[in-house]
Amino acid sequence: MSEPRTSGFGRDGMRGARARAQQPGSARSRNIGDLGDALVLPTLMFGVFVFAIFASNDFSQAAQWFPRAIAVPGVLLSLLKVALIVRDHIARSRHSAVGQSEESSLPSAHMADRSNETFALGWLAWISAYVLAVGVIGFMWGTPVWVAIFSRLRSGVSTRVALVWAGAITTGIWIIAINTGMRLPRGILF
Amino acid sequence: MYDALVLAAVQLFSVQGLSFLTLGVTVGLVIGPIPGLGGVVGMSILLPFVFGMDYVPGLAMLIGMTAVTQTSDTFPAVLLGIPGTSGSQATVMDGYPMARLGRANTALGAAFTASAVGGVIGALVLVLIIPIARPLVLSFGSPELFMLAVFGVSLVGVLSKGSILAGLLSSLVGLLLATVGSAAQSVDYRFTFGTMYLWDGFSLVLVALGLFAIPEIVQLLRDGGSISRSAAPAGSAVMASTDRMSDGPRAAMQHKALILRSSGVGAALGMIPGIGGSVIDWIAYGVAAQTSKNGDQFGKGDIRGVIAPESANNAKEGGALVPTLLFGIPGSGTTAVLLGGLVLLGIQPGPRMATDRLDVLMVILLSLVIANLMGAAACLLAAKWFSKLCLVPAVKLAPFLIVVITTAAFQSRFSNADLLVFVLLGVFSWQMKRQGWPRPPLLVGFVLGVAAERYLWISMSRYGLEWLSRPGVIAIAAITVGAILLSARRSPR
């Protein structure tokens, strides 16, 4: 379905101009963003497979054949994937983004809600912050501090409940660890 | 045989026998749901206690623990989308979607029923097959083991859900990840970047947690609400009105043939040392998806996707005991530690086990059967309470989950580098999830990578190309090709 052509004058023209202002530019930039997003994984994999081929040169013959047997088809398949994504992107650009096949290799359905993606990155940051805290100040300090902050700020509980929750989780895991031989992460500092 | 069975029953049904069996079952039930722990840890906890013990209570305790770890590990797999042990990885595929659809009780009920039946079938297979198992197990050489690995990789088509190219790339990444560390056939250290941490490669627990746990938690938090997002009014969470615990066993019994088939697959593959227990549930899942009607429903919350891996992973415990008892070769990590326990109890595994130590065999059979039934009953009773986790708002559940999975990830090598790898894998798999790339093929590739390389290398070194003409190889190759063709025929595209 192609865009309706408008002259740019009169009532229809205004409507068309508004439509152009709202749709094509943002759709184009969104499409480019989607293309970049969709290319991240195959490009990353292509890089990994190419690296594996070169790095395997340093191995003995007995050790290099298997990584190569994986990496060579990996390079070819990742290039094929990139080509398919770009082909689909071009096809999408020609037609309207509306009503595209669900089977397209550009996963538009997964990228529909950009604001949700921002939220997701925020949650990933929270998880990374915990791992960082544990890695730096250790489990016994990092866990109660992080759980208390998370519970207070994100779970929306009162400070007292957050502190109780932090103490309960830390103590619970500590008791399980003692009785099962688990080891708790030690930080660089403590 | 009958006399031995009666004698074993009399000894096991004593106060002492049942007490230690219950103790073992309890430890197994507690260990199973904790991600990062598993049968090996449970066995290590119990092993010091068996020294000097009579063999009946000692065996009952160890076998009881082994039998039920694979049952209770279903809780986190279904309720949280996090595999409790490596045996419940495939259960996540349909169990978690069922929980999200508000059918957690049904999924758990079916899983525990299938586990119990699978465990009993595994025990029966152990006793029935052990007298004739010797030639069967010995017929599996490196070429056949390599072909089994190829069969496992061929499941990528089923696990890719229509994205075959993405699935193939994922499995290749998994295979490449498996090559990290010391090479089996030479003194090379591959892709270690000069760090000792990577000498042993990546651990399966770490990869499984990174691939599944982080993306599911992020998705849960992003979506808001609770795990169960059944047709509930906005802002509230309820279980689906049709979700009853009794529906699970009923649903499982409606798929008797699937349970039998999957248990057979589990017990048969469990018997083969070297293929690795972690891949058996994937194979059972893949076979079920390929051979069932409407196989395209797998992965969308299909009860059959829960029943198949759950019956297989409990049945495999019986199968894995065949090489352990017959040759002293452990069929899984847990049975490797169990082997030490048997020696401590004064039991010498070997080919004469089937003739001279029938009493031991019968104690193991009864312990497996009773433990599986006890474990399933306990889990069914506890499921009602555990399933309420699905109603807890994600933001309140998340701190606990994140702490647990991070601690579990640390158990891989007890190194802070575990945590770094965990987060990197999590970010990578989140990207996979949002782009619609299938993640199970990566895990299957990773699990099978080491076996595929090792057995192909041995096959080529020992037989040249002649291994291709071995009957076992041809048979497995035919099954693999048949499975691929069946999968292609059933594919929607």
Side-chain angles (χ1 to χ4, degrees):
Chain A
M1 283 169 56
S2 58
E3 282 281 315
R5 285 180 179 273
T6 53
S7 64
F9 294 99
R11 204 170 163 185
D12 286 347
M14 282 302 290
R15 211 177 280 157
R18 202 175 293 133
R20 271 200 305 278
Q22 286 173 352
Q23 285 183 358
S26 58
R28 197 177 300 127
S29 62
R30 194 173 61 233
N31 273 347
I32 291 168
D34 287 354
L35 176 68
D37 234 3
L39 286 176
V40 167
L41 280 176
T43 311
L44 180 67
M45 288 178 181
F46 174 78
V48 168
F49 289 130
V50 168
F51 168 77
I53 292 172
F54 282 104
S56 62
N57 286 332
D58 296 337
F59 308 149
S60 68
Q61 202 181 351
Q64 70 179 194
W65 67 274
F66 193 67
R68 278 189 183 172
I70 298 162
V72 171
V75 166
L76 297 175
L77 289 178
S78 47
L79 283 176
L80 178 63
K81 185 72 180 167
V82 168
L84 286 175
I85 289 171
V86 172
R87 187 198 66 178
D88 277 6
H89 172 72
I90 292 168
R92 281 163 63 93
S93 300
R94 281 193 189 142
H95 306 290
S96 165
V98 182
Q100 282 293 297
S101 160
E102 282 180 12
E103 290 169 357
S104 159
S105 67
L106 257 183
S108 56
H110 298 273
M111 301 181 194
D113 197 342
R114 286 271 165 193
S115 61
N116 269 352
E117 298 304 330
T118 313
F119 278 126
L121 287 176
W123 294 120
L124 269 175
W126 272 103
I127 296 174
S128 305
Y130 173 63
V131 172
L132 185 70
V134 166
V136 174
I137 57 176
F139 177 89
M140 294 307 287
W141 288 100
T143 300
V145 169
W146 181 85
V147 172
I149 295 173
F150 186 97
S151 303
R152 182 70 190 89
L153 298 182
R154 306 304 308 191
S155 307
V157 297
S158 66
T159 306
R160 192 195 297 171
V161 172
L163 290 173
V164 170
W165 192 221
I169 289 178
T170 311
T171 312
I173 302 283
W174 179 73
I175 289 171
I176 291 173
I178 283 185
N179 289 294
T180 58
M182 282 168 72
R183 287 195 217 167
L184 298 174
R186 284 190 152 191
I188 299 164
L189 297 180
F190 307 118
Chain B
M1 186 179 265
Y2 181 73
D3 293 342
L5 184 64
V6 172
L7 183 65
V10 170
Q11 288 178 309
L12 194 63
F13 285 106
S14 63
V15 174
Q16 193 191 26
L18 282 178
S19 304
F20 280 99
L21 180 67
T22 309
L23 178 66
V25 168
T26 308
V27 171
L29 289 175
V30 172
I31 291 286
I34 303 173
L37 302 185
V40 177
V41 172
M43 198 59 86
S44 309
I45 292 169
L46 294 179
L47 210 54
F49 296 105
V50 300
F51 189 74
M53 209 184 244
D54 183 39
Y55 81 93
V56 175
L59 263 182
M61 186 169 72
L62 295 181
I63 297 291
M65 196 287 303
T66 312
V68 299
T69 312
Q70 307 290 338
T71 306
S72 62
D73 66 354
T74 310
F75 280 120
V78 169
L79 299 177
L80 308 171
I82 301 167
T85 69
S86 57
S88 63
Q89 290 162 7
T91 309
V92 173
M93 293 287 289
D94 280 281
Y96 187 59
M98 283 186 73
R100 299 222 73 185
L101 292 167
R103 297 181 62 213
N105 280 321
T106 309
L108 288 172
F112 297 138
T113 309
S115 293
V117 178
V120 172
I121 290 174
L124 292 175
V125 166
L126 165 71
V127 172
L128 293 176
I129 215 160
I130 215 163
I132 55 161
R134 201 174 172 204
L136 194 72
V137 174
L138 288 178
S139 69
F140 269 81
S142 299
E144 287 79 14
L145 290 172
F146 170 69
M147 285 309 296
L148 277 177
V150 171
F151 176 65
V153 174
S154 77
L155 296 173
V156 164
V158 176
L159 299 172
S160 297
K161 301 281 162 225
S163 326
I164 297 285
L165 188 54
L168 278 172
L169 276 167
S170 299
S171 67
L172 288 175
V173 170
L175 286 165
L176 197 62
L177 270 183
T179 65
V180 173
S182 58
Q185 60 279 2
S186 66
V187 288
D188 294 81
Y189 288 95
R190 299 182 295 200
F191 311 120
T192 56
F193 305 100
T195 59
M196 279 177 66
Y197 171 76
L198 291 173
W199 279 14
D200 290 331
F202 296 108
S203 93
L204 175 60
V205 172
L206 191 61
V207 175
L209 282 174
L211 273 181
F212 289 104
I214 290 185
E216 295 311 330
I217 291 175
V218 170
Q219 171 94 44
L220 196 60
L221 288 166
R222 196 193 71 170
D223 291 351
S226 60
I227 292 169
S228 172
R229 54 174 188 193
S230 59
S236 71
V238 294
M239 306 298 270
S241 56
T242 53
D243 186 46
R244 287 186 298 268
M245 190 61 67
S246 58
D247 290 343
R250 204 173 296 135
M253 285 304 115
Q254 281 169 356
H255 297 97
K256 286 192 272 289
L258 180 64
I259 294 181
L260 281 174
R261 204 164 59 224
S262 304
S263 303
V265 168
L269 292 179
M271 265 190 279
I272 304 164
I275 192 67
S278 325
V279 80
I280 290 173
D281 57 329
W282 284 115
I283 291 181
Y285 181 86
V287 169
Q290 279 173 325
T291 55
S292 303
K293 281 180 187 170
N294 304 321
D296 56 319
Q297 292 303 309
F298 279 70
K300 297 173 185 169
D302 193 315
I303 192 90
R304 296 171 299 176
V306 175
I307 291 170
E310 282 304 312
S311 44
N313 71 26
N314 276 58
K316 88 161 188 268
E317 294 303 328
L321 285 170
V322 173
T324 310
L325 298 175
L326 207 56
F327 304 106
I329 302 169
S332 65
T334 311
T335 49
V337 189
L338 175 68
L339 206 55
L342 292 178
V343 175
L344 284 177
L345 290 168
I347 298 164
Q348 191 60 48
R352 300 181 72 175
M353 195 80 157
T355 49
D356 296 358
R357 296 306 304 267
L358 266 178
D359 53 335
V360 172
L361 209 56
M362 290 304 151
V363 170
I364 292 174
L365 165 74
L366 289 176
S367 302
L368 270 177
V369 170
I370 298 166
N372 271 296
L373 296 176
M374 274 172 78
C379 287
L380 278 169
L381 287 173
K384 188 180 165 189
W385 306 105
F386 273 105
S387 64
K388 293 196 190 304
L389 274 176
C390 291
L391 305 177
V392 178
V395 284
K396 291 189 176 161
L397 197 60
F400 173 70
L401 291 180
I402 293 166
V403 170
V404 168
I405 59 165
T406 307
T407 311
F410 184 75
Q411 306 311 307
S412 305
R413 300 260 189 281
F414 307 119
S415 160
N416 281 356
D418 288 329
L419 304 177
L420 180 65
V421 173
F422 173 59
V423 169
L424 290 177
L425 274 172
V427 173
F428 177 72
S429 58
W430 166 248
Q431 182 68 10
M432 287 182 81
K433 185 177 171 72
R434 61 188 284 271
Q435 296 283 333
W437 284 55
R439 290 167 291 156
L442 197 156
L443 198 59
V444 171
F446 178 75
V447 168
L448 290 171
V450 175
E453 180 181 15
R454 180 183 299 144
Y455 295 126
L456 181 58
W457 176 259
I458 296 172
S459 303
M460 291 299 290
S461 306
R462 188 167 173 200
Y463 305 103
L465 285 174
E466 281 178 25
W467 64 270
L468 288 166
S469 60
R470 286 166 68 106
V473 169
I474 293 169
I476 301 170
I479 293 170
T480 306
V481 172
I484 291 171
L485 290 177
L486 191 67
S487 177
R489 217 176 110 193
R490 285 169 184 254
S491 175
R493 290 181 72 183

mmCIF file of all heavy atoms in Angstrom, chain A residues 61-63 65, chain B residues 141-143 146 184-186 452-468 470:
data_model
loop_
_atom_site.group_PDB
_atom_site.id
_atom_site.type_symbol
_atom_site.label_atom_id
_atom_site.label_comp_id
_atom_site.label_asym_id
_atom_site.label_seq_id
_atom_site.Cartn_x
_atom_site.Cartn_y
_atom_site.Cartn_z
ATOM 1 N N GLN A 61 46.624 -28.953 15.007
ATOM 2 C CA GLN A 61 45.649 -29.437 14.027
ATOM 3 C C GLN A 61 44.498 -30.195 14.699
ATOM 4 O O GLN A 61 43.340 -30.085 14.299
ATOM 5 C CB GLN A 61 46.350 -30.349 13.026
ATOM 6 C CG GLN A 61 45.579 -30.455 11.722
ATOM 7 C CD GLN A 61 46.257 -31.378 10.736
ATOM 8 O OE1 GLN A 61 47.393 -31.814 10.956
ATOM 9 N NE2 GLN A 61 45.582 -31.685 9.650
ATOM 10 N N ALA A 62 44.864 -30.936 15.745
ATOM 11 C CA ALA A 62 43.835 -31.723 16.431
ATOM 12 C C ALA A 62 42.794 -30.840 17.102
ATOM 13 O O ALA A 62 41.638 -31.240 17.259
ATOM 14 C CB ALA A 62 44.495 -32.616 17.473
ATOM 15 N N ALA A 63 43.214 -29.629 17.492
ATOM 16 C CA ALA A 63 42.302 -28.760 18.237
ATOM 17 C C ALA A 63 41.601 -27.738 17.355
ATOM 18 O O ALA A 63 40.623 -27.128 17.798
ATOM 19 C CB ALA A 63 43.076 -28.030 19.339
ATOM 20 N N TRP A 65 40.305 -28.178 14.092
ATOM 21 C CA TRP A 65 39.337 -28.565 13.061
ATOM 22 C C TRP A 65 37.899 -28.355 13.510
ATOM 23 O O TRP A 65 37.059 -27.912 12.726
ATOM 24 C CB TRP A 65 39.549 -30.029 12.632
ATOM 25 C CG TRP A 65 39.220 -31.024 13.718
ATOM 26 C CD1 TRP A 65 40.050 -31.468 14.701
ATOM 27 C CD2 TRP A 65 37.962 -31.656 13.941
ATOM 28 N NE1 TRP A 65 39.390 -32.345 15.523
ATOM 29 C CE2 TRP A 65 38.106 -32.488 15.074
ATOM 30 C CE3 TRP A 65 36.728 -31.619 13.298
ATOM 31 C CZ2 TRP A 65 37.070 -33.254 15.575
ATOM 32 C CZ3 TRP A 65 35.692 -32.394 13.801
ATOM 33 C CH2 TRP A 65 35.869 -33.196 14.921
ATOM 34 N N GLY B 141 29.649 -47.531 20.769
ATOM 35 C CA GLY B 141 31.009 -47.007 20.745
ATOM 36 C C GLY B 141 30.985 -45.525 20.426
ATOM 37 O O GLY B 141 29.921 -44.900 20.373
ATOM 38 N N SER B 142 32.169 -44.970 20.196
ATOM 39 C CA SER B 142 32.267 -43.537 19.875
ATOM 40 C C SER B 142 31.449 -43.147 18.651
ATOM 41 O O SER B 142 30.796 -42.091 18.664
ATOM 42 C CB SER B 142 33.728 -43.152 19.665
ATOM 43 O OG SER B 142 34.432 -43.387 20.831
ATOM 44 N N PRO B 143 31.437 -43.943 17.566
ATOM 45 C CA PRO B 143 30.645 -43.525 16.398
ATOM 46 C C PRO B 143 29.158 -43.385 16.714
ATOM 47 O O PRO B 143 28.514 -42.423 16.277
ATOM 48 C CB PRO B 143 30.878 -44.663 15.389
ATOM 49 C CG PRO B 143 32.165 -45.271 15.789
ATOM 50 C CD PRO B 143 32.210 -45.165 17.268
ATOM 51 N N PHE B 146 28.619 -40.291 18.761
ATOM 52 C CA PHE B 146 28.667 -39.099 17.917
ATOM 53 C C PHE B 146 27.346 -38.929 17.168
ATOM 54 O O PHE B 146 26.804 -37.818 17.081
ATOM 55 C CB PHE B 146 29.828 -39.188 16.917
ATOM 56 C CG PHE B 146 29.778 -38.109 15.878
ATOM 57 C CD1 PHE B 146 30.018 -36.785 16.211
ATOM 58 C CD2 PHE B 146 29.444 -38.401 14.555
ATOM 59 C CE1 PHE B 146 29.935 -35.781 15.261
ATOM 60 C CE2 PHE B 146 29.359 -37.406 13.603
ATOM 61 C CZ PHE B 146 29.606 -36.085 13.959
ATOM 62 N N ALA B 184 40.038 -31.641 24.221
ATOM 63 C CA ALA B 184 40.077 -33.005 24.755
ATOM 64 C C ALA B 184 41.191 -33.830 24.123
ATOM 65 O O ALA B 184 41.755 -34.717 24.758
ATOM 66 C CB ALA B 184 38.728 -33.673 24.515
ATOM 67 N N GLN B 185 41.531 -33.538 22.872
ATOM 68 C CA GLN B 185 42.440 -34.426 22.145
ATOM 69 C C GLN B 185 43.843 -33.841 21.964
ATOM 70 O O GLN B 185 44.644 -34.400 21.235
ATOM 71 C CB GLN B 185 41.835 -34.794 20.780
ATOM 72 C CG GLN B 185 41.564 -33.641 19.847
ATOM 73 C CD GLN B 185 40.252 -32.924 20.172
ATOM 74 O OE1 GLN B 185 39.572 -33.283 21.126
ATOM 75 N NE2 GLN B 185 39.925 -31.905 19.413
ATOM 76 N N SER B 186 44.125 -32.707 22.589
ATOM 77 C CA SER B 186 45.476 -32.128 22.496
ATOM 78 C C SER B 186 45.710 -31.250 23.721
ATOM 79 O O SER B 186 44.843 -31.158 24.592
ATOM 80 C CB SER B 186 45.612 -31.294 21.214
ATOM 81 O OG SER B 186 44.771 -30.168 21.292
ATOM 82 N N ALA B 452 30.188 -34.190 20.782
ATOM 83 C CA ALA B 452 30.287 -34.316 19.324
ATOM 84 C C ALA B 452 31.746 -34.283 18.884
ATOM 85 O O ALA B 452 32.194 -35.126 18.092
ATOM 86 C CB ALA B 452 29.497 -33.193 18.653
ATOM 87 N N GLU B 453 32.511 -33.328 19.423
ATOM 88 C CA GLU B 453 33.916 -33.208 19.013
ATOM 89 C C GLU B 453 34.724 -34.431 19.453
ATOM 90 O O GLU B 453 35.451 -35.027 18.666
ATOM 91 C CB GLU B 453 34.530 -31.941 19.618
ATOM 92 C CG GLU B 453 35.989 -31.784 19.228
ATOM 93 C CD GLU B 453 36.639 -30.545 19.829
ATOM 94 O OE1 GLU B 453 36.063 -29.963 20.755
ATOM 95 O OE2 GLU B 453 37.725 -30.176 19.361
ATOM 96 N N ARG B 454 34.554 -34.795 20.711
ATOM 97 C CA ARG B 454 35.340 -35.900 21.258
ATOM 98 C C ARG B 454 35.072 -37.198 20.497
ATOM 99 O O ARG B 454 35.996 -37.877 20.048
ATOM 100 C CB ARG B 454 35.015 -36.084 22.741
ATOM 101 C CG ARG B 454 35.802 -37.234 23.374
ATOM 102 C CD ARG B 454 35.407 -37.434 24.808
ATOM 103 N NE ARG B 454 35.694 -36.233 25.607
ATOM 104 C CZ ARG B 454 34.933 -35.804 26.592
ATOM 105 N NH1 ARG B 454 33.834 -36.454 26.894
ATOM 106 N NH2 ARG B 454 35.253 -34.730 27.281
ATOM 107 N N TYR B 455 33.788 -37.522 20.319
ATOM 108 C CA TYR B 455 33.468 -38.824 19.721
ATOM 109 C C TYR B 455 33.748 -38.856 18.216
ATOM 110 O O TYR B 455 34.093 -39.911 17.687
ATOM 111 C CB TYR B 455 32.017 -39.209 20.041
ATOM 112 C CG TYR B 455 31.822 -39.413 21.519
ATOM 113 C CD1 TYR B 455 30.838 -38.743 22.220
ATOM 114 C CD2 TYR B 455 32.672 -40.262 22.240
ATOM 115 C CE1 TYR B 455 30.694 -38.908 23.590
ATOM 116 C CE2 TYR B 455 32.540 -40.422 23.604
ATOM 117 C CZ TYR B 455 31.558 -39.746 24.275
ATOM 118 O OH TYR B 455 31.435 -39.899 25.636
ATOM 119 N N LEU B 456 33.623 -37.728 17.553
ATOM 120 C CA LEU B 456 33.974 -37.728 16.130
ATOM 121 C C LEU B 456 35.484 -37.906 15.967
ATOM 122 O O LEU B 456 35.951 -38.643 15.092
ATOM 123 C CB LEU B 456 33.511 -36.423 15.460
ATOM 124 C CG LEU B 456 33.800 -36.327 13.958
ATOM 125 C CD1 LEU B 456 33.153 -37.492 13.204
ATOM 126 C CD2 LEU B 456 33.301 -35.011 13.375
ATOM 127 N N TRP B 457 36.227 -37.241 16.841
ATOM 128 C CA TRP B 457 37.687 -37.351 16.785
ATOM 129 C C TRP B 457 38.128 -38.800 17.032
ATOM 130 O O TRP B 457 38.937 -39.362 16.293
ATOM 131 C CB TRP B 457 38.323 -36.417 17.822
ATOM 132 C CG TRP B 457 39.816 -36.546 17.894
ATOM 133 C CD1 TRP B 457 40.540 -37.227 18.817
ATOM 134 C CD2 TRP B 457 40.765 -36.002 16.978
ATOM 135 N NE1 TRP B 457 41.866 -37.134 18.548
ATOM 136 C CE2 TRP B 457 42.048 -36.383 17.412
ATOM 137 C CE3 TRP B 457 40.660 -35.219 15.832
ATOM 138 C CZ2 TRP B 457 43.213 -36.018 16.758
ATOM 139 C CZ3 TRP B 457 41.827 -34.846 15.162
ATOM 140 C CH2 TRP B 457 43.080 -35.247 15.621
ATOM 141 N N ILE B 458 37.583 -39.410 18.075
ATOM 142 C CA ILE B 458 37.939 -40.804 18.390
ATOM 143 C C ILE B 458 37.523 -41.722 17.235
ATOM 144 O O ILE B 458 38.281 -42.606 16.823
ATOM 145 C CB ILE B 458 37.279 -41.251 19.712
ATOM 146 C CG1 ILE B 458 37.818 -40.435 20.882
ATOM 147 C CG2 ILE B 458 37.525 -42.739 19.972
ATOM 148 C CD1 ILE B 458 37.104 -40.671 22.204
ATOM 149 N N SER B 459 36.323 -41.490 16.703
ATOM 150 C CA SER B 459 35.827 -42.343 15.609
ATOM 151 C C SER B 459 36.748 -42.262 14.400
ATOM 152 O O SER B 459 37.112 -43.293 13.808
ATOM 153 C CB SER B 459 34.419 -41.916 15.191
ATOM 154 O OG SER B 459 33.565 -41.964 16.282
ATOM 155 N N MET B 460 37.121 -41.034 14.040
ATOM 156 C CA MET B 460 37.981 -40.861 12.864
ATOM 157 C C MET B 460 39.372 -41.439 13.124
ATOM 158 O O MET B 460 39.975 -42.060 12.249
ATOM 159 C CB MET B 460 38.092 -39.373 12.493
ATOM 160 C CG MET B 460 36.822 -38.753 11.955
ATOM 161 S SD MET B 460 36.236 -39.521 10.440
ATOM 162 C CE MET B 460 37.477 -38.977 9.291
ATOM 163 N N SER B 461 39.896 -41.228 14.335
ATOM 164 C CA SER B 461 41.239 -41.719 14.642
ATOM 165 C C SER B 461 41.271 -43.248 14.649
ATOM 166 O O SER B 461 42.229 -43.857 14.192
ATOM 167 C CB SER B 461 41.694 -41.219 16.016
ATOM 168 O OG SER B 461 41.580 -39.847 16.071
ATOM 169 N N ARG B 462 40.213 -43.846 15.157
ATOM 170 C CA ARG B 462 40.243 -45.289 15.337
ATOM 171 C C ARG B 462 39.755 -46.063 14.113
ATOM 172 O O ARG B 462 40.289 -47.103 13.769
ATOM 173 C CB ARG B 462 39.382 -45.655 16.545
ATOM 174 C CG ARG B 462 39.538 -47.092 16.895
ATOM 175 C CD ARG B 462 38.962 -47.424 18.234
ATOM 176 N NE ARG B 462 38.999 -48.869 18.413
ATOM 177 C CZ ARG B 462 38.271 -49.534 19.263
ATOM 178 N NH1 ARG B 462 37.446 -48.889 20.034
ATOM 179 N NH2 ARG B 462 38.358 -50.833 19.364
ATOM 180 N N TYR B 463 38.706 -45.531 13.477
ATOM 181 C CA TYR B 463 38.093 -46.305 12.394
ATOM 182 C C TYR B 463 38.260 -45.674 11.012
ATOM 183 O O TYR B 463 37.823 -46.245 10.023
ATOM 184 C CB TYR B 463 36.589 -46.473 12.638
ATOM 185 C CG TYR B 463 36.226 -47.073 13.975
ATOM 186 C CD1 TYR B 463 35.755 -46.279 15.015
ATOM 187 C CD2 TYR B 463 36.355 -48.447 14.199
ATOM 188 C CE1 TYR B 463 35.411 -46.822 16.242
ATOM 189 C CE2 TYR B 463 36.015 -48.994 15.424
ATOM 190 C CZ TYR B 463 35.544 -48.176 16.449
ATOM 191 O OH TYR B 463 35.209 -48.717 17.658
ATOM 192 N N GLY B 464 38.811 -44.481 10.936
ATOM 193 C CA GLY B 464 38.821 -43.794 9.643
ATOM 194 C C GLY B 464 37.388 -43.499 9.233
ATOM 195 O O GLY B 464 36.583 -43.073 10.058
ATOM 196 N N LEU B 465 37.066 -43.758 7.968
ATOM 197 C CA LEU B 465 35.686 -43.519 7.526
ATOM 198 C C LEU B 465 34.814 -44.775 7.662
ATOM 199 O O LEU B 465 33.627 -44.738 7.357
ATOM 200 C CB LEU B 465 35.671 -43.047 6.066
ATOM 201 C CG LEU B 465 36.118 -41.591 5.844
ATOM 202 C CD1 LEU B 465 36.202 -41.276 4.365
ATOM 203 C CD2 LEU B 465 35.175 -40.603 6.542
ATOM 204 N N GLU B 466 35.441 -45.856 8.129
ATOM 205 C CA GLU B 466 34.697 -47.122 8.236
ATOM 206 C C GLU B 466 33.575 -47.055 9.277
ATOM 207 O O GLU B 466 32.625 -47.840 9.230
ATOM 208 C CB GLU B 466 35.656 -48.263 8.602
ATOM 209 C CG GLU B 466 36.447 -48.780 7.417
ATOM 210 C CD GLU B 466 37.420 -49.874 7.823
ATOM 211 O OE1 GLU B 466 37.172 -50.536 8.845
ATOM 212 O OE2 GLU B 466 38.429 -50.044 7.129
ATOM 213 N N TRP B 467 33.699 -46.109 10.205
ATOM 214 C CA TRP B 467 32.675 -46.034 11.247
ATOM 215 C C TRP B 467 31.305 -45.698 10.666
ATOM 216 O O TRP B 467 30.276 -46.010 11.248
ATOM 217 C CB TRP B 467 33.063 -45.030 12.329
ATOM 218 C CG TRP B 467 33.164 -43.593 11.890
ATOM 219 C CD1 TRP B 467 34.278 -42.966 11.420
ATOM 220 C CD2 TRP B 467 32.133 -42.607 11.889
ATOM 221 N NE1 TRP B 467 34.007 -41.655 11.131
ATOM 222 C CE2 TRP B 467 32.689 -41.403 11.411
ATOM 223 C CE3 TRP B 467 30.783 -42.616 12.246
ATOM 224 C CZ2 TRP B 467 31.955 -40.233 11.268
ATOM 225 C CZ3 TRP B 467 30.049 -41.445 12.116
ATOM 226 C CH2 TRP B 467 30.634 -40.274 11.629
ATOM 227 N N LEU B 468 31.330 -45.115 9.477
ATOM 228 C CA LEU B 468 30.051 -44.742 8.855
ATOM 229 C C LEU B 468 29.222 -45.967 8.464
ATOM 230 O O LEU B 468 28.013 -45.861 8.257
ATOM 231 C CB LEU B 468 30.305 -43.887 7.606
ATOM 232 C CG LEU B 468 30.792 -42.462 7.887
ATOM 233 C CD1 LEU B 468 31.344 -41.820 6.631
ATOM 234 C CD2 LEU B 468 29.661 -41.626 8.461
ATOM 235 N N ARG B 470 28.941 -48.742 10.296
ATOM 236 C CA ARG B 470 28.504 -49.541 11.457
ATOM 237 C C ARG B 470 26.972 -49.541 11.535
ATOM 238 O O ARG B 470 26.333 -48.502 11.301
ATOM 239 C CB ARG B 470 29.083 -48.951 12.750
ATOM 240 C CG ARG B 470 30.573 -49.237 12.926
ATOM 241 C CD ARG B 470 31.149 -48.367 14.006
ATOM 242 N NE ARG B 470 30.644 -48.692 15.333
ATOM 243 C CZ ARG B 470 31.346 -49.330 16.274
ATOM 244 N NH1 ARG B 470 32.582 -49.725 16.016
ATOM 245 N NH2 ARG B 470 30.832 -49.563 17.455
#
